[in-house]
Amino acid sequence: MKRFVFLAIMGIIANAMDISTLLQSVKKIPDTKLDEVVTNEMKINKKSIDYSLFPKISFFANAIHYTSPYNLRPMPPTESKKIGANGGGYWFSKNIKKIGFNFSMPLFVKEIYDNKKKMECLLESTKYKAKLNLLQRQAILIGEVSNFNYLINLRNALLKKKESIKTTLKAIEVGVKVGRIPEFNLEKLKDAILSIDIKLQAINNKLNTSKANIYKLTQINVNKKIDFIAFMPIKKEFLALKQVRKLVEASKYSIIAAKDKKIPKIFLMAQGYRAFGKAYDNGEKLALNFANIGIYVDWEIFNKQNNVSLKKAKINYIKNTLLLEKTLKDLKAKEKELLGNLKNLKKAILMAKESVEIKKELLKSAKVAFRLNRMSVDDYLKYEDDLAYAKANLAYLIALKNKMIANLAFIYGNNLERVFK
């Protein structure tokens, strides 16, 4: 008994899915995680620019054979005289081994600083893009759940229509048996029930497709209607504009960085090593240290390729500027369309609700008239159809409203978990 109760409770929990859980699940699917990886990749690219300002230190070792004696380190004339006076041991050898280090650090490379600013903009753009992708998936999910709910409501409307016709069928069976009501009416009702069953099969197929679409976005299987309420989104600056605006800013720094190639670069560089070898004149073992440090200027006077890079950067800036203008134009048009349609939908939903109530009363009267043989079977079935259609139409309008609110929340960059509860 306890096991049965436990399984029943777990079943209820499994089916008690709410819209917040589904929206949060979108954050966990591979599609969203892929956006996170792309953002992290951009962070690493930015760090690579930052780290180019840090010193570079490397160690080296080598063993070199020369065809004629080579100096282990530069020899001043005074040292040469001193070695000669002491019987030889000049710092030259055919086989030299070295171990040492290299050190370099940029003191002034303007291109690095501008590329750093460019990468900061690209990173911000990537973050906005990831957020846009998440909100878009969540908005699509709202649309899929709304469609799923609509299909559930449509199925329920047909099932209620079927039950209503069955009730009427049972009521007239007696009349048919005694010959008061034509058997044609009974057969017509049976045919209407069969038509409903055929429609229900088609709806079940659509429900399976809708479930699969929801699973694709959430990795969750849904089996029951997901009830939720929608709030109007808060008007904000279009999120997509922020993303494109950062691209425009990044392309500006690309132009500056391309021009920076003509500016001299200044580096601090140092090297030190210890060289080992045998003096070529007397075979004496030598181990000598040598080091140098200095400031170097690298000034590229002429490089035609730099002009191409600058032209590409300028073209990219123009493309991103036009993309910003196009995005603003399209989003304004979309906002206007959604706000206008939502206003009309609210009125349509109110009228649809009223229509459902009226058609319920009309159907009650039609049932009575049909049972009393004062109405034809076709006229009676029309009232059944009208009520089912009115319910389906109301469910469709509500689903459409939810989709539009989701799209409006998406372009404003609203948190959909606050808009839909």
Side-chain angles (χ1 to χ4, degrees), residues 142-160:
I142 293 295
E144 288 294 344
V145 172
S146 297
N147 184 58
F148 178 77
N149 287 347
Y150 161 69
L151 291 171
I152 292 288
N153 288 330
L154 179 59
R155 185 176 67 180
N156 290 341
L158 287 175
L159 287 172
K160 286 182 180 179

mmCIF file with all atom_site columns, all heavy atoms in Angstrom, residues 142-160:
data_model
loop_
_atom_site.group_PDB
_atom_site.id
_atom_site.type_symbol
_atom_site.label_atom_id
_atom_site.label_alt_id
_atom_site.label_comp_id
_atom_site.label_asym_id
_atom_site.label_entity_id
_atom_site.label_seq_id
_atom_site.pdbx_PDB_ins_code
_atom_site.Cartn_x
_atom_site.Cartn_y
_atom_site.Cartn_z
_atom_site.occupancy
_atom_site.B_iso_or_equiv
_atom_site.pdbx_formal_charge
_atom_site.auth_seq_id
_atom_site.auth_comp_id
_atom_site.auth_asym_id
_atom_site.auth_atom_id
_atom_site.pdbx_PDB_model_num
ATOM 1   N N   . ILE A 1 142 ? 7.654   29.079 -25.408 1.00 0.00 ? 142 ILE A N   1
ATOM 2   C CA  . ILE A 1 142 ? 6.324   29.598 -25.054 1.00 0.00 ? 142 ILE A CA  1
ATOM 3   C C   . ILE A 1 142 ? 5.356   29.338 -26.203 1.00 0.00 ? 142 ILE A C   1
ATOM 4   O O   . ILE A 1 142 ? 4.198   28.935 -25.992 1.00 0.00 ? 142 ILE A O   1
ATOM 5   C CB  . ILE A 1 142 ? 6.383   31.104 -24.730 1.00 0.00 ? 142 ILE A CB  1
ATOM 6   C CG1 . ILE A 1 142 ? 7.179   31.352 -23.447 1.00 0.00 ? 142 ILE A CG1 1
ATOM 7   C CG2 . ILE A 1 142 ? 4.982   31.696 -24.606 1.00 0.00 ? 142 ILE A CG2 1
ATOM 8   C CD1 . ILE A 1 142 ? 6.547   30.775 -22.198 1.00 0.00 ? 142 ILE A CD1 1
ATOM 9   N N   . GLY A 1 143 ? 5.815   29.559 -27.419 1.00 0.00 ? 143 GLY A N   1
ATOM 10  C CA  . GLY A 1 143 ? 4.976   29.292 -28.588 1.00 0.00 ? 143 GLY A CA  1
ATOM 11  C C   . GLY A 1 143 ? 4.602   27.825 -28.700 1.00 0.00 ? 143 GLY A C   1
ATOM 12  O O   . GLY A 1 143 ? 3.440   27.485 -28.985 1.00 0.00 ? 143 GLY A O   1
ATOM 13  N N   . GLU A 1 144 ? 5.573   26.938 -28.442 1.00 0.00 ? 144 GLU A N   1
ATOM 14  C CA  . GLU A 1 144 ? 5.306   25.499 -28.527 1.00 0.00 ? 144 GLU A CA  1
ATOM 15  C C   . GLU A 1 144 ? 4.345   25.048 -27.423 1.00 0.00 ? 144 GLU A C   1
ATOM 16  O O   . GLU A 1 144 ? 3.437   24.245 -27.663 1.00 0.00 ? 144 GLU A O   1
ATOM 17  C CB  . GLU A 1 144 ? 6.623   24.709 -28.429 1.00 0.00 ? 144 GLU A CB  1
ATOM 18  C CG  . GLU A 1 144 ? 7.505   24.816 -29.659 1.00 0.00 ? 144 GLU A CG  1
ATOM 19  C CD  . GLU A 1 144 ? 6.887   24.174 -30.882 1.00 0.00 ? 144 GLU A CD  1
ATOM 20  O OE1 . GLU A 1 144 ? 5.935   23.385 -30.742 1.00 0.00 ? 144 GLU A OE1 1
ATOM 21  O OE2 . GLU A 1 144 ? 7.353   24.465 -31.993 1.00 0.00 ? 144 GLU A OE2 1
ATOM 22  N N   . VAL A 1 145 ? 4.569   25.561 -26.201 1.00 0.00 ? 145 VAL A N   1
ATOM 23  C CA  . VAL A 1 145 ? 3.666   25.204 -25.089 1.00 0.00 ? 145 VAL A CA  1
ATOM 24  C C   . VAL A 1 145 ? 2.267   25.744 -25.349 1.00 0.00 ? 145 VAL A C   1
ATOM 25  O O   . VAL A 1 145 ? 1.266   25.072 -25.076 1.00 0.00 ? 145 VAL A O   1
ATOM 26  C CB  . VAL A 1 145 ? 4.222   25.740 -23.750 1.00 0.00 ? 145 VAL A CB  1
ATOM 27  C CG1 . VAL A 1 145 ? 3.198   25.547 -22.628 1.00 0.00 ? 145 VAL A CG1 1
ATOM 28  C CG2 . VAL A 1 145 ? 5.517   25.029 -23.391 1.00 0.00 ? 145 VAL A CG2 1
ATOM 29  N N   . SER A 1 146 ? 2.175   26.959 -25.896 1.00 0.00 ? 146 SER A N   1
ATOM 30  C CA  . SER A 1 146 ? 0.872   27.547 -26.227 1.00 0.00 ? 146 SER A CA  1
ATOM 31  C C   . SER A 1 146 ? 0.159   26.701 -27.278 1.00 0.00 ? 146 SER A C   1
ATOM 32  O O   . SER A 1 146 ? -1.053  26.468 -27.186 1.00 0.00 ? 146 SER A O   1
ATOM 33  C CB  . SER A 1 146 ? 1.049   28.977 -26.739 1.00 0.00 ? 146 SER A CB  1
ATOM 34  O OG  . SER A 1 146 ? 1.611   29.808 -25.743 1.00 0.00 ? 146 SER A OG  1
ATOM 35  N N   . ASN A 1 147 ? 0.915   26.234 -28.261 1.00 0.00 ? 147 ASN A N   1
ATOM 36  C CA  . ASN A 1 147 ? 0.337   25.369 -29.287 1.00 0.00 ? 147 ASN A CA  1
ATOM 37  C C   . ASN A 1 147 ? -0.103  24.034 -28.693 1.00 0.00 ? 147 ASN A C   1
ATOM 38  O O   . ASN A 1 147 ? -1.167  23.500 -29.042 1.00 0.00 ? 147 ASN A O   1
ATOM 39  C CB  . ASN A 1 147 ? 1.363   25.138 -30.396 1.00 0.00 ? 147 ASN A CB  1
ATOM 40  C CG  . ASN A 1 147 ? 0.800   24.334 -31.553 1.00 0.00 ? 147 ASN A CG  1
ATOM 41  O OD1 . ASN A 1 147 ? -0.186  24.720 -32.163 1.00 0.00 ? 147 ASN A OD1 1
ATOM 42  N ND2 . ASN A 1 147 ? 1.422   23.203 -31.855 1.00 0.00 ? 147 ASN A ND2 1
ATOM 43  N N   . PHE A 1 148 ? 0.725   23.511 -27.773 1.00 0.00 ? 148 PHE A N   1
ATOM 44  C CA  . PHE A 1 148 ? 0.382   22.258 -27.087 1.00 0.00 ? 148 PHE A CA  1
ATOM 45  C C   . PHE A 1 148 ? -0.908  22.419 -26.290 1.00 0.00 ? 148 PHE A C   1
ATOM 46  O O   . PHE A 1 148 ? -1.806  21.569 -26.352 1.00 0.00 ? 148 PHE A O   1
ATOM 47  C CB  . PHE A 1 148 ? 1.542   21.865 -26.168 1.00 0.00 ? 148 PHE A CB  1
ATOM 48  C CG  . PHE A 1 148 ? 1.302   20.613 -25.367 1.00 0.00 ? 148 PHE A CG  1
ATOM 49  C CD1 . PHE A 1 148 ? 1.409   19.362 -25.950 1.00 0.00 ? 148 PHE A CD1 1
ATOM 50  C CD2 . PHE A 1 148 ? 0.966   20.682 -24.022 1.00 0.00 ? 148 PHE A CD2 1
ATOM 51  C CE1 . PHE A 1 148 ? 1.183   18.204 -25.217 1.00 0.00 ? 148 PHE A CE1 1
ATOM 52  C CE2 . PHE A 1 148 ? 0.746   19.542 -23.275 1.00 0.00 ? 148 PHE A CE2 1
ATOM 53  C CZ  . PHE A 1 148 ? 0.854   18.295 -23.876 1.00 0.00 ? 148 PHE A CZ  1
ATOM 54  N N   . ASN A 1 149 ? -1.015  23.525 -25.554 1.00 0.00 ? 149 ASN A N   1
ATOM 55  C CA  . ASN A 1 149 ? -2.232  23.791 -24.775 1.00 0.00 ? 149 ASN A CA  1
ATOM 56  C C   . ASN A 1 149 ? -3.452  23.945 -25.683 1.00 0.00 ? 149 ASN A C   1
ATOM 57  O O   . ASN A 1 149 ? -4.551  23.493 -25.357 1.00 0.00 ? 149 ASN A O   1
ATOM 58  C CB  . ASN A 1 149 ? -2.055  25.055 -23.935 1.00 0.00 ? 149 ASN A CB  1
ATOM 59  C CG  . ASN A 1 149 ? -1.125  24.838 -22.754 1.00 0.00 ? 149 ASN A CG  1
ATOM 60  O OD1 . ASN A 1 149 ? -0.798  23.701 -22.416 1.00 0.00 ? 149 ASN A OD1 1
ATOM 61  N ND2 . ASN A 1 149 ? -0.697  25.913 -22.136 1.00 0.00 ? 149 ASN A ND2 1
ATOM 62  N N   . TYR A 1 150 ? -3.236  24.614 -26.824 1.00 0.00 ? 150 TYR A N   1
ATOM 63  C CA  . TYR A 1 150 ? -4.332  24.792 -27.785 1.00 0.00 ? 150 TYR A CA  1
ATOM 64  C C   . TYR A 1 150 ? -4.837  23.438 -28.282 1.00 0.00 ? 150 TYR A C   1
ATOM 65  O O   . TYR A 1 150 ? -6.054  23.199 -28.345 1.00 0.00 ? 150 TYR A O   1
ATOM 66  C CB  . TYR A 1 150 ? -3.861  25.644 -28.958 1.00 0.00 ? 150 TYR A CB  1
ATOM 67  C CG  . TYR A 1 150 ? -4.724  25.512 -30.194 1.00 0.00 ? 150 TYR A CG  1
ATOM 68  C CD1 . TYR A 1 150 ? -6.025  26.005 -30.218 1.00 0.00 ? 150 TYR A CD1 1
ATOM 69  C CD2 . TYR A 1 150 ? -4.227  24.874 -31.332 1.00 0.00 ? 150 TYR A CD2 1
ATOM 70  C CE1 . TYR A 1 150 ? -6.822  25.865 -31.344 1.00 0.00 ? 150 TYR A CE1 1
ATOM 71  C CE2 . TYR A 1 150 ? -5.015  24.734 -32.465 1.00 0.00 ? 150 TYR A CE2 1
ATOM 72  C CZ  . TYR A 1 150 ? -6.310  25.229 -32.467 1.00 0.00 ? 150 TYR A CZ  1
ATOM 73  O OH  . TYR A 1 150 ? -7.094  25.089 -33.571 1.00 0.00 ? 150 TYR A OH  1
ATOM 74  N N   . LEU A 1 151 ? -3.899  22.544 -28.606 1.00 0.00 ? 151 LEU A N   1
ATOM 75  C CA  . LEU A 1 151 ? -4.296  21.215 -29.096 1.00 0.00 ? 151 LEU A CA  1
ATOM 76  C C   . LEU A 1 151 ? -5.024  20.422 -28.010 1.00 0.00 ? 151 LEU A C   1
ATOM 77  O O   . LEU A 1 151 ? -5.986  19.697 -28.300 1.00 0.00 ? 151 LEU A O   1
ATOM 78  C CB  . LEU A 1 151 ? -3.061  20.449 -29.574 1.00 0.00 ? 151 LEU A CB  1
ATOM 79  C CG  . LEU A 1 151 ? -2.399  20.990 -30.850 1.00 0.00 ? 151 LEU A CG  1
ATOM 80  C CD1 . LEU A 1 151 ? -1.070  20.291 -31.101 1.00 0.00 ? 151 LEU A CD1 1
ATOM 81  C CD2 . LEU A 1 151 ? -3.318  20.811 -32.061 1.00 0.00 ? 151 LEU A CD2 1
ATOM 82  N N   . ILE A 1 152 ? -4.558  20.577 -26.753 1.00 0.00 ? 152 ILE A N   1
ATOM 83  C CA  . ILE A 1 152 ? -5.248  19.915 -25.639 1.00 0.00 ? 152 ILE A CA  1
ATOM 84  C C   . ILE A 1 152 ? -6.672  20.448 -25.516 1.00 0.00 ? 152 ILE A C   1
ATOM 85  O O   . ILE A 1 152 ? -7.647  19.684 -25.362 1.00 0.00 ? 152 ILE A O   1
ATOM 86  C CB  . ILE A 1 152 ? -4.490  20.141 -24.315 1.00 0.00 ? 152 ILE A CB  1
ATOM 87  C CG1 . ILE A 1 152 ? -3.135  19.412 -24.337 1.00 0.00 ? 152 ILE A CG1 1
ATOM 88  C CG2 . ILE A 1 152 ? -5.329  19.690 -23.119 1.00 0.00 ? 152 ILE A CG2 1
ATOM 89  C CD1 . ILE A 1 152 ? -3.220  17.916 -24.230 1.00 0.00 ? 152 ILE A CD1 1
ATOM 90  N N   . ASN A 1 153 ? -6.803  21.780 -25.585 1.00 0.00 ? 153 ASN A N   1
ATOM 91  C CA  . ASN A 1 153 ? -8.141  22.390 -25.493 1.00 0.00 ? 153 ASN A CA  1
ATOM 92  C C   . ASN A 1 153 ? -9.029  21.977 -26.660 1.00 0.00 ? 153 ASN A C   1
ATOM 93  O O   . ASN A 1 153 ? -10.232 21.753 -26.494 1.00 0.00 ? 153 ASN A O   1
ATOM 94  C CB  . ASN A 1 153 ? -8.016  23.913 -25.442 1.00 0.00 ? 153 ASN A CB  1
ATOM 95  C CG  . ASN A 1 153 ? -7.474  24.407 -24.115 1.00 0.00 ? 153 ASN A CG  1
ATOM 96  O OD1 . ASN A 1 153 ? -7.690  23.790 -23.086 1.00 0.00 ? 153 ASN A OD1 1
ATOM 97  N ND2 . ASN A 1 153 ? -6.756  25.514 -24.137 1.00 0.00 ? 153 ASN A ND2 1
ATOM 98  N N   . LEU A 1 154 ? -8.425  21.899 -27.844 1.00 0.00 ? 154 LEU A N   1
ATOM 99  C CA  . LEU A 1 154 ? -9.191  21.474 -29.025 1.00 0.00 ? 154 LEU A CA  1
ATOM 100 C C   . LEU A 1 154 ? -9.652  20.034 -28.857 1.00 0.00 ? 154 LEU A C   1
ATOM 101 O O   . LEU A 1 154 ? -10.817 19.699 -29.159 1.00 0.00 ? 154 LEU A O   1
ATOM 102 C CB  . LEU A 1 154 ? -8.312  21.615 -30.274 1.00 0.00 ? 154 LEU A CB  1
ATOM 103 C CG  . LEU A 1 154 ? -8.932  21.206 -31.606 1.00 0.00 ? 154 LEU A CG  1
ATOM 104 C CD1 . LEU A 1 154 ? -10.182 22.034 -31.895 1.00 0.00 ? 154 LEU A CD1 1
ATOM 105 C CD2 . LEU A 1 154 ? -7.909  21.356 -32.741 1.00 0.00 ? 154 LEU A CD2 1
ATOM 106 N N   . ARG A 1 155 ? -8.762  19.191 -28.361 1.00 0.00 ? 155 ARG A N   1
ATOM 107 C CA  . ARG A 1 155 ? -9.137  17.785 -28.120 1.00 0.00 ? 155 ARG A CA  1
ATOM 108 C C   . ARG A 1 155 ? -10.238 17.683 -27.079 1.00 0.00 ? 155 ARG A C   1
ATOM 109 O O   . ARG A 1 155 ? -11.198 16.919 -27.246 1.00 0.00 ? 155 ARG A O   1
ATOM 110 C CB  . ARG A 1 155 ? -7.906  16.997 -27.664 1.00 0.00 ? 155 ARG A CB  1
ATOM 111 C CG  . ARG A 1 155 ? -8.170  15.504 -27.500 1.00 0.00 ? 155 ARG A CG  1
ATOM 112 C CD  . ARG A 1 155 ? -6.921  14.751 -27.144 1.00 0.00 ? 155 ARG A CD  1
ATOM 113 N NE  . ARG A 1 155 ? -6.441  15.110 -25.806 1.00 0.00 ? 155 ARG A NE  1
ATOM 114 C CZ  . ARG A 1 155 ? -5.350  14.590 -25.244 1.00 0.00 ? 155 ARG A CZ  1
ATOM 115 N NH1 . ARG A 1 155 ? -4.624  13.706 -25.908 1.00 0.00 ? 155 ARG A NH1 1
ATOM 116 N NH2 . ARG A 1 155 ? -4.972  14.969 -24.042 1.00 0.00 ? 155 ARG A NH2 1
ATOM 117 N N   . ASN A 1 156 ? -10.101 18.472 -25.997 1.00 0.00 ? 156 ASN A N   1
ATOM 118 C CA  . ASN A 1 156 ? -11.137 18.458 -24.952 1.00 0.00 ? 156 ASN A CA  1
ATOM 119 C C   . ASN A 1 156 ? -12.486 18.935 -25.483 1.00 0.00 ? 156 ASN A C   1
ATOM 120 O O   . ASN A 1 156 ? -13.534 18.404 -25.120 1.00 0.00 ? 156 ASN A O   1
ATOM 121 C CB  . ASN A 1 156 ? -10.706 19.327 -23.775 1.00 0.00 ? 156 ASN A CB  1
ATOM 122 C CG  . ASN A 1 156 ? -9.549  18.720 -23.007 1.00 0.00 ? 156 ASN A CG  1
ATOM 123 O OD1 . ASN A 1 156 ? -9.290  17.525 -23.119 1.00 0.00 ? 156 ASN A OD1 1
ATOM 124 N ND2 . ASN A 1 156 ? -8.842  19.524 -22.233 1.00 0.00 ? 156 ASN A ND2 1
ATOM 125 N N   . ALA A 1 157 ? -12.434 19.958 -26.358 1.00 0.00 ? 157 ALA A N   1
ATOM 126 C CA  . ALA A 1 157 ? -13.680 20.474 -26.939 1.00 0.00 ? 157 ALA A CA  1
ATOM 127 C C   . ALA A 1 157 ? -14.356 19.397 -27.790 1.00 0.00 ? 157 ALA A C   1
ATOM 128 O O   . ALA A 1 157 ? -15.591 19.225 -27.743 1.00 0.00 ? 157 ALA A O   1
ATOM 129 C CB  . ALA A 1 157 ? -13.385 21.712 -27.778 1.00 0.00 ? 157 ALA A CB  1
ATOM 130 N N   . LEU A 1 158 ? -13.549 18.645 -28.551 1.00 0.00 ? 158 LEU A N   1
ATOM 131 C CA  . LEU A 1 158 ? -14.110 17.579 -29.379 1.00 0.00 ? 158 LEU A CA  1
ATOM 132 C C   . LEU A 1 158 ? -14.630 16.433 -28.522 1.00 0.00 ? 158 LEU A C   1
ATOM 133 O O   . LEU A 1 158 ? -15.664 15.819 -28.839 1.00 0.00 ? 158 LEU A O   1
ATOM 134 C CB  . LEU A 1 158 ? -13.047 17.072 -30.359 1.00 0.00 ? 158 LEU A CB  1
ATOM 135 C CG  . LEU A 1 158 ? -12.704 18.017 -31.514 1.00 0.00 ? 158 LEU A CG  1
ATOM 136 C CD1 . LEU A 1 158 ? -11.554 17.455 -32.340 1.00 0.00 ? 158 LEU A CD1 1
ATOM 137 C CD2 . LEU A 1 158 ? -13.918 18.251 -32.410 1.00 0.00 ? 158 LEU A CD2 1
ATOM 138 N N   . LEU A 1 159 ? -13.900 16.136 -27.429 1.00 0.00 ? 159 LEU A N   1
ATOM 139 C CA  . LEU A 1 159 ? -14.366 15.067 -26.536 1.00 0.00 ? 159 LEU A CA  1
ATOM 140 C C   . LEU A 1 159 ? -15.689 15.439 -25.871 1.00 0.00 ? 159 LEU A C   1
ATOM 141 O O   . LEU A 1 159 ? -16.586 14.595 -25.716 1.00 0.00 ? 159 LEU A O   1
ATOM 142 C CB  . LEU A 1 159 ? -13.294 14.787 -25.468 1.00 0.00 ? 159 LEU A CB  1
ATOM 143 C CG  . LEU A 1 159 ? -12.042 14.059 -25.959 1.00 0.00 ? 159 LEU A CG  1
ATOM 144 C CD1 . LEU A 1 159 ? -10.984 14.016 -24.865 1.00 0.00 ? 159 LEU A CD1 1
ATOM 145 C CD2 . LEU A 1 159 ? -12.374 12.639 -26.418 1.00 0.00 ? 159 LEU A CD2 1
ATOM 146 N N   . LYS A 1 160 ? -15.811 16.711 -25.472 1.00 0.00 ? 160 LYS A N   1
ATOM 147 C CA  . LYS A 1 160 ? -17.073 17.167 -24.869 1.00 0.00 ? 160 LYS A CA  1
ATOM 148 C C   . LYS A 1 160 ? -18.196 17.143 -25.906 1.00 0.00 ? 160 LYS A C   1
ATOM 149 O O   . LYS A 1 160 ? -19.340 16.802 -25.597 1.00 0.00 ? 160 LYS A O   1
ATOM 150 C CB  . LYS A 1 160 ? -16.891 18.572 -24.302 1.00 0.00 ? 160 LYS A CB  1
ATOM 151 C CG  . LYS A 1 160 ? -16.087 18.594 -23.014 1.00 0.00 ? 160 LYS A CG  1
ATOM 152 C CD  . LYS A 1 160 ? -15.975 19.995 -22.445 1.00 0.00 ? 160 LYS A CD  1
ATOM 153 C CE  . LYS A 1 160 ? -15.167 19.986 -21.142 1.00 0.00 ? 160 LYS A CE  1
ATOM 154 N NZ  . LYS A 1 160 ? -15.029 21.340 -20.573 1.00 0.00 ? 160 LYS A NZ  1
#
